[in-house]
Structure formats: C-alpha cells, structure tokens
Amino acid sequence: MKYIKTGLCIFIAFVFIQSLFFKFSGSPETEFIFGTLGEWSGQAWFGKYGAYMVGIVELIASILLFTRLHALGAFLAVGTMTGAIFFHLFTPIGVAQPAFNEAGEVVGNDGGTLFVMACLVWLSAAFLLYQTRKGDREEVD
C-alpha cells in the first residue's frame, strides 16, 4: 500500500507542478480559463490573480504531500480540484478547453484532457485522505 500512496502523491505533484508554468506565465490557456471565470463571476480580480492563487495552493499541496503533513496536502488537492471540477461543469469554461498555438490563436480543443486530469487528481487525493483516515482508525482499534 505504501507504494500506491507514494505513486499517487507523485502523480498529484506532477500534475500540479507541470501546470505551474501555465499559471505563472500568463499563458493563453490560463488567461482564457481565469478570464472567463472572472467575467462570469463579476469578479474581475479573479481573472487577473486567480491563477496565481490557485498555483500557490497547488505548489503548497505538492510539497506537503511528501511531508508528515501529507493529509493536509491531500486535503488541499481535493479542495482545489473540487473547485476546478465545479467550474468546468457549471460555468462557461466547460469541459473541453481551447488549444492555442505559439501565437495565442485557438487551433482546436483539448478534448476534455484538463477536466479528466482534475478528476483523476481528485480521486487520487480522496483515496489518500480515505487511507489516512482508515489508518487512524486502525491505530485506535
């Protein structure tokens, strides 16, 4: 079971860390997602700063997953991905995201890859939380 937990932590951290480039560089994908959410919510500041806020939380979660506070990292991952899944399903950004070329022009869509990754991270983090809770009960018994 230890290898499964470690593998899931590595998977979550990989997904989060590779997405930091997009969130912190102002990529067209990030501008589309957070700009759309900012307009939809009427919170223009979210369109401008939301990616940075989410990226910082994902970075903290990634680090915590490999410490004795791994349950907190998993909790942050579940919370962050719950928001992502909600926004994909119930706002104008939708499930399939536009794909952009180097010039920032839309050249297709991602076929829902970003949404699927959010779901996989959510499931992985939820499993880690369940296993942590299950381990706590076994120690008490």
Side-chain angles (χ1 to χ4, degrees):
M1 185 58 68
K2 180 180 178 184
Y3 295 114
I4 292 172
K5 290 180 184 178
T6 301
L8 293 175
C9 289
I10 291 169
F11 169 70
I12 293 167
F14 173 78
V15 170
F16 281 173
I17 290 171
Q18 65 85 27
S19 76
L20 293 181
F21 168 78
F22 295 96
K23 288 185 177 77
F24 293 156
S25 71
S27 71
E29 295 86 354
T30 300
E31 288 182 9
F32 170 78
I33 292 169
F34 288 92
T36 301
L37 291 176
E39 286 178 26
W40 172 79
S41 67
Q43 305 295 320
W45 63 268
F46 189 76
K48 190 171 185 176
Y49 302 111
Y52 297 110
M53 294 172 6
V54 171
I56 289 168
V57 171
E58 290 177 350
L59 179 59
I60 292 168
S62 296
I63 293 167
L64 290 176
L65 285 169
F66 299 99
T67 70
R68 63 183 183 84
L69 299 174
H70 63 276
L72 180 56
F75 180 76
L76 288 173
V78 165
T80 305
M81 291 300 98
T82 297
I85 293 165
F86 172 84
F87 287 124
H88 277 286
L89 292 176
F90 301 109
T91 71
I93 65 169
V95 172
Q97 300 304 298
F100 296 87
N101 64 14
E102 298 81 27
E105 301 164 334
V106 176
V107 293
N109 68 56
D110 74 348
T113 301
L114 193 62
F115 176 74
V116 169
M117 294 306 288
C119 293
L120 291 173
V121 168
W122 189 94
L123 288 170
S124 299
F127 179 79
L128 291 172
L129 282 177
Y130 172 76
Q131 289 297 74
T132 299
R133 182 70 182 127
K134 183 178 168 190
D136 291 344
R137 285 193 308 257
E138 290 173 0
E139 290 176 14
V140 172
D141 291 340

